[in-house]
Amino acid sequence: MILDELKKDLNRKFGLSDIYDEGSTSGRVLYFDIGYGEKFVLFTLPIDKDFDLSLLKYSMPLEVLKESVRRFIEIKAPTGYRIRFLISFDKEDRYNPVISHISKIGKDKILILVNLEETGLGNEKIVINGLDYMSLLKIDKILDENKFRIGKIFRKDGISLAYKTDIKVLEFVSFPNEFKDVLKREFFDKKRVDFIVMFIFTFLKKVFR
């Protein structure tokens, strides 16, 4: 089971002894917290039955997650709130465990959800569905001040997590990228991982400082 392997890998890399494991083989979540506080910033990586680490579209978001964990542990833990990393699996709908976990926490306790799907693939666009006006202003300021080359997009396909929750969501789509579903892991680009993680960290610092 892929979640078992990921749990072992995270323990080995970061010494995370408190990784909670809930659910069954049909719908399951791993989660752990960094920092302390009543409120949460929720990093989520939903995976499904087609998960295959030989493909770039699955391996790169996982690398973004690992680099995010490393930075929060080694460089700067959050202040005043906690980061919860949630890796979920579901055979039917990859978002079901995420939505269920959000209900369990309570929507009022989640400051923002960061969806790591499609991160690190190249041509990332920020999905503006689910972001309020002030968040969008801060994103524009971050992009301008840091010379980040990343665009924004409004999704009309009803796929994004922003359609399925009524909380603030920061997520990405690799567009245009007609090859994203077939590219192999050999196209891995560490610089792309670092770029996306740096943007996410800059955004959180601006919004929650």
Side-chain angles (χ1 to χ4, degrees), residues 13 30 50 60 70 85 121-122 129 144 166 170 200:
K13 286 181 180 297
L30 300 178
D50 298 319
M60 287 296 274
R70 186 193 71 80
F85 288 92
L121 302 186
N129 307 60
D144 183 57
D166 57 1
L170 177 66
I200 294 172

Side-chain angles (χ1 to χ4, degrees), residues 113-166:
L113 186 153
V114 182
N115 184 11
L116 297 180
E117 291 180 290
E118 297 202 22
T119 54
L121 302 186
N123 290 334
E124 286 94 346
K125 301 291 188 297
I126 301 165
V127 178
I128 66 173
N129 307 60
L131 290 174
D132 58 21
Y133 179 70
M134 291 305 298
S135 295
L136 293 174
L137 285 180
K138 289 177 180 179
I139 285 174
D140 287 337
K141 188 174 181 180
I142 291 167
L143 296 176
D144 183 57
E145 289 177 349
N146 295 275
K147 306 284 191 274
F148 287 144
R149 297 182 60 187
I150 184 168
K152 302 189 294 294
I153 191 171
F154 184 87
R155 297 191 73 173
K156 299 179 181 179
D157 51 19
I159 294 175
S160 74
L161 259 176
Y163 279 109
K164 299 176 182 295
T165 66
D166 57 1

Side-chain angles (χ1 to χ4, degrees), residues 174-188:
S174 180
F175 178 85
N177 189 347
E178 60 184 301
F179 303 110
K180 66 184 178 184
D181 292 332
V182 296
L183 286 174
K184 297 295 185 181
R185 184 179 170 84
E186 285 73 23
F187 289 88
F188 173 84

